[in-house]
Structure formats: C-alpha cells, structure tokens
Amino acid sequence: MPEQPVTVGLFVTCLVDLMRPAVGFAAVKLLTDAGCTVSVPAGQTCCGQPAYNSGDSADAGAIARQVIAAFEGVDCVVAPSGSCAGMIKHHYPLLFADDPAMAARAEALAGRTHELTSFLRDVLEVSDIDVEFSAKATYHDGCSGLREMGVKEQPRALLAGVRGLTLEEGAEAETCCGFGGLFCVKYPEISGHIVDAKVDDVMATGADVLLGGDLGCLLNIAGRLKRRGSAIAVRHVAEVLADATNDAPPIAEGNAGGGDG
Amino acid sequence: MPPTTPRPSPRATPAAGTGDALESTTRAFDANTRRALADTNLQDALARLSHGFPARRRDAVARMPEFEQLRDAARDIKVHVLENLDAYLERFEARVKDNGGQVHWARDAAEARDLILGICRDVGARTVTKSKSMIGEEIAINEHLENNGVEPVETDLGEYIIQLRHEPPSHLIAPAIHLSKTQVAETFRKVHEQFPAERSLEEPRVLLDEARSVLRSRYFEADVGLTGANMLVAETGSVVVVTNEGNADLTQSLPRVHVVIASIEKVVPTLEDATAILRVLARSATGQEMSVYTTFSSGPRRPGDLDGPDAYHVIILDNGRSKMLGGDFHEMLRCIRCGACLNHCPVYKSIGGHAYGWVYSGPMGAVLTPNLIGLEDTGKLPNASTLCGKCEEICPMRIPLPKMLRHWREQQFATRQTPATSRAGMKLWAFLARRPALYRLATGTAMAVLGMLGRRRGRFRTLPMVGGWTAARDLPAPQGPTFSSLWKQRNGGTS
Ligand code: SF4
C-alpha cells in the first residue's frame, strides 16, 4: 500500500442509500480498516443509469456531470456495486463525445473508479479478512461487475478468509437474474421468468445464504426467494466481510424473522 | 447493374412490409410474450436449448485455446470488408460472371422476390427446392412463389417442418426448435397421407427418415434450387453454404438452375478468410468444429463436369443494410447468424423466437429488425433486454449488441417514441436526482415511511404503483433511514 493514506470517495449508490444503508457502512468499515481515508461526497444521488438505459442521455449526462464534479477531489471512487462502478468507468466517457473538456474529466474519473471487492483485493491487496460467519453460501455474479469490471475471483478470495463460511457455486452463477433496472418493471413477466430460473439455481446449491455485490440483483432475487417461501438469507458481500451482519436482518426479512409471517 | 457503393435505399417504406411479405407481429410483443411463457411445449424446448447449445459451445471453445484470437481475426476480416464493401462486391460479381454465372442486385425484398420469380418463370419452373435461408424468410419468398403458382419445397428438416405447419422459424440455426417431437409427429401424420395412419413416429430417427423419403423425390422433380449463402468469396466468386444435413448440396446440384439469395454483407475477400470465419461459426453455433457439410459453388456446370446446374444466379440483396453502413448500427453488419446470442440470452431463453414477431430474434434480432422494418413497429424489442452483456461476451464477431440496443432507446427517447408515462416518470426522477438536497428530502421521507411499514415483515407483497415488481416477487422493505441521513448524523451534520 502507498505511504500516504489513499483518499476514497464512497459512491454509495442510490439503492444502498435508500434501501440498505448497512451496505454503505460496511463498505466504509472495510475501506477504513484497509487504511483508506473515506469521505462521502454530498453531491451524489445516483449514477444516472436509469436515465442512460432508458435512452435519456441528456439527463444521464447532467447527472454524470454532477458526479464527476462531486468526486474530483479524491484519489479513488469506490462503489459497492459493479453496475454503478461500470457506469462511471465505461459509460460516462461516452456521454461527452461532443465535449472534449468534459470527456477528459470523465476519463480521469473513470480511471480512478473501482468496484468495492476488486478495489480491496486488486488495489489494496487485502488478504487478512478476519471475521467469522458460519454459513453455506452461494454467490451471484452481477452482470456489469462480471463483464464490465472483471469482478469474479475478488469477492471469492476475500470470502475465503471468512471463518465458518463455505462457498457452493451455482451452475448459473454468471447468468443474469432478470433485474435489469427498469426492465424488471417494464417486462415483469419475462423478468419474473428469469429470476425464477436464478432462484432454482440458487436453491439447487443447497446454500443457506446468497451473497452478491450488487443490491439491485439481490433485492430482485431475495424478493423472488421470499415469494416462493424460501428461507435462504440474502446479503451483500460487504456485510459479511465487514462483520456487519448484526446491523440489519437479511434482505427482505424483518424483525419478525425469515418466515412468511 | 452493380449499385456497388452502398447508398440509401430509395424506398422509404420498409420493403418487408409490402405485398405478400411476412407481416411483423412485434407490436403485439407483450401478448406474444405472455403466450410464450404459458406454452409448456415451448418452455420445455427452450429448457433443452438452454442446456444444450451453450454447453456445447463452451466445450468447443475449451478445446481450442486460440479461440479468442480466432474471434479477433474473424472480426477483423469483417471490419475490413465493411470498409471496402463496394470493391469486394464488384470483384465477386466479376468472378461469378467469369465463371459463367449471373449476378442480380436487389434493392429491397420486392425486387428480390420478383427476380427469383422471373428466373423461375423463364425456365417454366413448377417446383423449387430450397435449403434454409434467413434471407428467404426475410423476403418471404415462399409465399410469393406459392401465390404465383410455383411450389417451394424446404429441404432442411427444421424448415420443412415449419413449412408444413405454416410457421416462421423461431431460431437462426434451429428453425423448429420450439416444437416437441410429438408435435412434429402430429404434423407428419396429418400431412404425409401416403403412409399408414397407424405407423409409429416415436423416434426422432423415424421422423427424419420419413421426411427424407418424402423429400427425395422432390429433389428430382425440382426445376430450380434456391439456397442462401453463409459467405460470398470475392476472390473466386464462390458461394459458401454450410449445413448439417447435406440438403443444400442436393438442392444446388440436382436442378437445372441454382439461385443463390444473399445479402450484401456476406462477402469476404478470400477463401482463407472464409475458412477463418467458418472456424468460429460452427463452434459458436453448435459447438461443432466444422459443420458436417461445407459446400462451395462457383458457377454453372462446365463442360466435362459430372453434375451441377446449367444456369447459376446470385441475387444480392440490400434491403436496408447499406443505410446501416457508417452509422450507429454499422457493426451489426458483421453478424454471421450463428445464433449464439440467442442461445445465451436470458430473454430469448424465456420467450423463444416467435415472440419477437418477425424473422430475426434474440439480441441480434432486437438490433437488426428495427433497422430492416422500422423502429415504430418494433420499438418493444430494444427495450426487452436486461443489457446483461452475455451476448456481446460470446458473439464470435464481438458485436457490441447492448450498446446498439441502447442506441435504439436513445432514438426512441429523442423522437418521443418512449411511452409518455415512462418519459414523465424519468423526467421527474432526473429532476430530483440533479438536486441532491431536494432528492434527500423526498427520498428520506418516503423511505422512512416504507421502512416503518415494512419493519416487521421486511417486505411487501403488494404496494401501490409497484405492481410490475410485485407481480413476481416481494418488494424488500428499506431499512428505514437512508444512508445519507445516517451518515450526516454520524458525522455531526456534515459529510
Ligand atoms: S450477433 Fe453475434 S452471436 Fe448473434 S448471431 Fe450474429 S454473430 Fe452470432
């Protein structure tokens, strides 16, 4: 690790901000434990992907400008999501094809942007996760994390340090869960069919916990698991790695417990 | 009459929407989807496909360490061709003429249909045998021939089956993949009246043999053989066709006349280029190293040849493709119709090919179809994707399909073809997202309420306005306070 502490701007992501702050705090803890100075720039709301993927490039560009400005002061931008990190890293520069000055700023930000587990593993070279979490887990590879950010081995390498945890791979771990942002509400039948196949695959592993690095996928899969009455707990990988599983019940489970209460 | 330098087609109306061409049912995409999801035969077929093709491709790729380099090489060939398309098409035309064949240029589907019918009429053809051709489907040649007194006979088993059932293909390389063998047996029993009604048709082998025995006599009756083309080789004027059944060989060598129908982007410079593409084609499509039959034809029978047609025609079709050159969809013209993007697409694997409503389906169809028949009728297609990126990952020609799906969405948004409610919702959300303080106020309140309501159970079965979500799944409840509010508290009111 470099001499000076790395300054990290946490890109919280809109879903973590709204739905599951525990993931944000877990990310802060992991980054701080690894020696980074973490800030949470106030100018952020969302990465703009809903607008971008709906073809609204004007709004996507405006939101991108806001994010670019908000994170200009930090060494690195880290997001607990492969999807949002992928948006900043691979798509922001494309939004400013007609504006070389902005494109340069977007490129600069893209070069400093990372998904959380790959940042911990590949950049900070974290290898000493010392937590205990007894579970038979399986992992869902979010599409953008996997295909745009190269996230595959990093979360697994980090989880290998978790005492009591075994990982049972699903045959279809790399297959899309059918979330797709607004896709899941625009095409509910198709999305429902895809997530059902994902849930079959998760169940077939015999795991009692599903982990992943993207809250969008996890909300989708957890929602379907619970609809089908499954007791499989769903969590963001950061919660386990940061030993923060007591901070919130698993996704889609309440104080009343995991049953269909 | 080589139009050569690709230029915009003069026809403003999509050619495929004219006359007796296949009408698109893409407007009914949502209804098509629902029907497909409820069709248990189809769902069984799709489950078989999802486990078959991708695994076979994976194994084939694993056996070939240099596969990724081969993909690059194959892509580079097409990149080069598309930059010099007019030159290669002209060279191809010249070579075919040298070999004694004829080349015809068709701007659109109607022109192509008329050319084919004209050739048939010139030789007084009553029957045309046909090997599988997506361009044939695109221009709906079968209907056109039928309506004009010429009988087309499909010789690819899958195509033959769907021809008997009057259905369009549901997959690029496996046109009858949507059918069970029971359904095929029912169709044969109904149509093949020459066989005993009580015969057993349980085994796929029996079905195949029966189709073969019917088709055999048809091959000899045919006056014209119509094939598609996987590639056109500029260097030699050869047409390359691959099949696993050998039906294209009989189709093109037995009748007096061989007609090839191919689109402009099928041309490659040399035989060596053709073999490079063949190597990625079969592996991507079926996981085979090579298709069983690869046939090169380069013109009519020469003096001393043992077989071959007396006349040889190649019809080269544009049908909207030259408009794609140099634009947002240029790279789509690299497609070699291997079908890998269908086999790996979570959406295709859920709904099959017919739901897409026209000839092409899956990710390649969602990109190509609006180019060929217009975005107005097909606007649902580019939106029906999670943009998961699997298609681009496996496409042998490295076509950035997700990027192009997004281009269509951008065009829809820019031309206000996006539904008004989605548009308004997006604008409202973006208005808030661009005003962090206001956004926090609005979302903070909403999440606090939802968090409270959902605290005990952790999720909602139904909730107003989110019916799309809760149709298939519970909505996880938010924790309650947002991260930004908690962070502010933790840091004493600053961030
Ligand atoms: S887009 Fe790519 S994967 Fe799909 S059919 Fe064409 S070449 Fe094959």
Side-chain angles (χ1 to χ4, degrees):
Chain A
M1 265 176 46
E3 318 268 299
Q4 289 288 317
V6 180
T7 60
V8 168
L10 183 71
F11 187 79
V12 180
T13 80
C14 60
L15 287 179
V16 167
D17 178 35
L18 304 186
M19 300 295 287
R20 204 157 170 86
V23 176
F25 286 104
V28 171
K29 176 164 186 297
L30 286 164
L31 292 165
T32 314
D33 287 355
C36 302
T37 306
V38 181
S39 65
V40 182
Q44 60 178 306
T45 55
C46 167
C47 68
Q49 217 176 147
Y52 185 60
N53 286 344
S54 301
D56 180 2
S57 17
D59 280 319
I63 294 168
R65 272 171 204 275
Q66 183 174 296
V67 173
I68 291 166
F71 284 86
E72 236 141 25
V74 294
D75 295 337
C76 294
V77 182
V78 175
S81 156
S83 175
C84 312
M87 176 71 193
I88 299 174
K89 192 172 183 75
H90 297 288
H91 300 279
Y92 276 15
L94 304 177
L95 284 167
F96 302 105
D98 304 330
D99 183 345
M102 261 325 284
R105 289 171 68 194
E107 286 287 358
L109 189 76
R112 295 183 284 126
T113 298
H114 305 265
E115 180 276 339
L116 176 66
T117 61
S118 55
F119 184 71
L120 291 171
R121 185 73 191 165
D122 300 340
V123 179
L124 303 177
E125 297 178 5
V126 168
S127 58
D128 53 349
I129 295 286
D130 181 25
V131 300
E132 181 163 351
F133 183 68
S134 290
K136 185 166 160 191
T138 190
Y139 202 87
H140 166 69
D141 296 298
C143 294
S144 312
L146 178 70
R147 301 197 177 91
E148 292 187 340
M149 303 299 287
V151 180
K152 177 75 190 181
E153 293 312 321
Q154 303 89 335
R156 290 167 174 81
L158 294 168
L159 286 170
V162 175
R163 278 174 281 120
L165 183 123
T166 54
L167 205 60
E168 205 56 58
E169 295 288 354
E172 301 289 334
E174 292 187 2
T175 300
C176 179
C177 72
F179 172 63
L182 292 173
F183 171 83
C184 71
V185 289
K186 284 191 188 160
Y187 297 90
E189 289 100 350
I190 306 176
S191 174
H193 191 265
I194 300 174
V195 70
D196 229 16
K198 171 56 71 175
V199 161
D200 288 341
D201 190 59
V202 169
M203 287 175 161
T205 63
D208 42 43
V209 179
L210 169 73
L211 301 175
D214 266 282
L215 195 53
C217 316
L218 296 174
L219 293 167
N220 179 39
I221 305 170
R224 184 63 194 163
L225 276 167
K226 297 303 145 188
R227 176 64 57 93
R228 283 174 54 174
S230 164
I232 296 173
V234 180
R235 288 187 181 276
H236 192 285
V237 64
E239 299 170 37
V240 172
L241 295 174
D243 199 12
T245 51
N246 289 329
D247 294 3
I251 297 169
E253 288 177 29
N255 298 339
D260 205 36
Chain B
M1 182 217 58
T4 57
T5 301
R7 54 177 185 210
S9 159
R11 293 179 69 105
T13 42
T18 60
D20 44 5
L22 178 68
E23 292 293 333
S24 128
T25 66
T26 306
R27 270 186 188 280
F29 182 77
D30 289 339
N32 295 351
T33 295
R34 252 166 253 137
R35 199 175 322 116
L37 289 169
D39 179 341
T40 50
N41 271 321
L42 175 65
Q43 291 301 323
D44 290 348
L46 291 170
R48 283 195 300 276
L49 167 138
S50 323
H51 292 113
F53 282 137
R56 287 204 285 274
R57 176 193 176 274
R58 197 170 51 235
D59 293 346
V61 169
R63 286 193 301 269
M64 188 186 221
E66 69 275 31
F67 187 71
E68 294 306 311
Q69 286 97 293
L70 203 58
R71 277 173 77 182
D72 289 339
R75 174 204 49 204
D76 292 348
I77 292 167
K78 283 281 199 171
V79 167
H80 171 78
V81 165
L82 293 176
E83 277 164 8
N84 303 279
L85 193 56
D86 49 351
Y88 285 118
L89 285 170
E90 274 179 354
R91 191 170 305 168
F92 174 79
E93 178 185 33
R95 287 297 96 80
V96 172
K97 286 182 176 161
D98 293 347
N99 300 339
Q102 296 182 48
V103 174
H104 313 264
W105 303 90
R107 267 175 300 220
D108 54 37
E111 280 190 15
R113 287 193 293 263
D114 289 344
L115 280 164
I116 295 171
L117 183 64
I119 295 169
C120 292
R121 287 199 166 140
D122 285 349
V123 298
R126 308 247 307 272
T127 312
V128 172
T129 41
K130 233 181 120 252
S131 74
K132 199 178 99 53
S133 157
M134 291 309 292
I135 300 295
E137 298 291 340
E138 185 179 320
I139 66 170
I141 188 61
N142 285 0
E143 290 76 354
H144 191 63
L145 291 176
E146 266 166 29
N147 294 345
N148 289 282
V150 180
E151 187 194 0
V153 179
E154 293 287 356
T155 61
D156 170 273
L157 179 62
E159 285 285 343
Y160 176 69
I161 295 166
I162 61 169
Q163 187 187 20
L164 295 182
R165 295 173 61 93
H166 307 287
E167 287 174 354
S170 66
H171 190 283
L172 281 175
I173 64 159
I177 192 85
H178 57 285
L179 298 170
S180 68
K181 69 176 194 284
T182 319
Q183 289 172 296
V184 176
E186 277 164 19
T187 304
F188 279 14
R189 220 180 278 288
K190 196 155 102 208
V191 182
H192 295 162
E193 289 168 339
Q194 62 270 51
F195 298 107
E198 296 311 309
R199 67 196 185 280
S200 151
L201 286 172
E202 298 291 302
E203 291 303 311
R205 180 78 227 178
V206 176
L207 292 169
L208 179 66
D209 288 344
E210 179 165 317
R212 281 211 170 130
S213 74
V214 174
L215 285 172
R216 185 135 307 141
S217 58
R218 311 306 316 263
Y219 280 122
F220 291 101
E221 288 162 24
D223 311 288
V224 172
L226 180 61
T227 70
N230 290 88
M231 277 174 282
L232 308 174
V233 183
E235 167 185 59
T236 55
S238 309
V239 171
V240 187
V241 177
V242 300
T243 71
N244 280 326
E245 299 170 15
N247 59 307
D249 301 59
L250 296 176
T251 302
Q252 59 186 256
S253 51
L254 291 176
R256 284 178 288 143
V257 180
H258 178 195
V259 178
V260 178
I261 170 85
S263 50
I264 54 170
E265 80 281 13
K266 289 278 186 282
V267 71
V268 298
T270 65
L271 285 170
E272 203 175 325
D273 295 327
T275 53
I277 290 175
L278 287 175
R279 294 175 80 197
V280 293
L281 173 60
R283 287 179 171 87
S284 303
T286 54
Q288 290 165 290
E289 250 107 71
M290 280 289 277
S291 305
V292 179
Y293 298 87
T294 302
T295 310
F296 294 75
S297 65
S298 309
R301 175 207 299 242
R302 294 162 304 186
D305 281 353
L306 290 179
D307 58 14
D310 299 332
Y312 185 84
H313 299 266
V314 184
I315 294 165
I316 302 180
L317 173 72
D318 181 344
N319 210 24
R321 288 167 176 78
S322 56
K323 277 187 295 191
M324 294 162 68
L325 284 165
D328 284 346
F329 303 100
H330 177 92
E331 291 154 301
M332 192 62 221
L333 295 170
R334 298 206 296 258
C335 175
I336 54 174
R337 311 286 190 264
C338 70
C341 60
L342 282 62
N343 303 338
H344 291 78
C345 174
V347 174
Y348 178 91
K349 289 191 286 182
S350 298
I351 60 175
H354 287 162
Y356 291 77
W358 201 58
V359 176
Y360 301 103
S361 57
M364 62 78 64
V367 172
L368 186 62
T369 302
N371 274 296
L372 301 187
I373 63 172
L375 184 59
E376 285 92 86
D377 279 342
T378 58
K380 286 268 177 183
L381 300 184
N383 290 288
S385 164
T386 63
L387 302 177
C388 76
K390 185 72 188 176
C391 48
E392 182 174 359
E393 181 190 306
I394 50 89
C395 170
M397 306 310 286
R398 301 198 192 280
I399 299 172
L401 294 152
K403 183 180 91 179
M404 291 189 287
L405 293 172
R406 210 180 273 114
H407 281 323
W408 280 129
R409 298 181 188 185
E410 281 159 9
Q411 264 193 41
Q412 285 174 321
F413 204 89
T415 56
R416 300 185 165 266
Q417 291 183 54
T418 312
T421 44
S422 312
R423 230 184 132 77
M426 182 52 60
K427 285 284 161 202
L428 174 64
W429 170 84
F431 176 87
L432 286 172
R434 291 167 60 182
R435 290 163 181 78
L438 191 59
Y439 176 89
R440 295 223 159 85
L441 193 67
T443 57
T445 318
M447 293 307 128
V449 174
L450 284 179
M452 216 141 65
L453 291 174
R455 174 154 306 155
R456 214 182 72 78
R457 210 164 153 270
R459 56 188 182 269
F460 303 97
R461 252 182 180 273
T462 54
L463 209 61
M465 323 243 297
V466 295
W469 179 281
T470 52
R473 33 180 134 45
D474 290 359
L475 179 71
Q479 263 181 272
T482 61
F483 180 87
S484 30
S485 65
L486 293 169
W487 184 255
K488 200 164 165 187
Q489 275 169 28
R490 175 160 138 175
N491 292 278
T494 65
S495 47

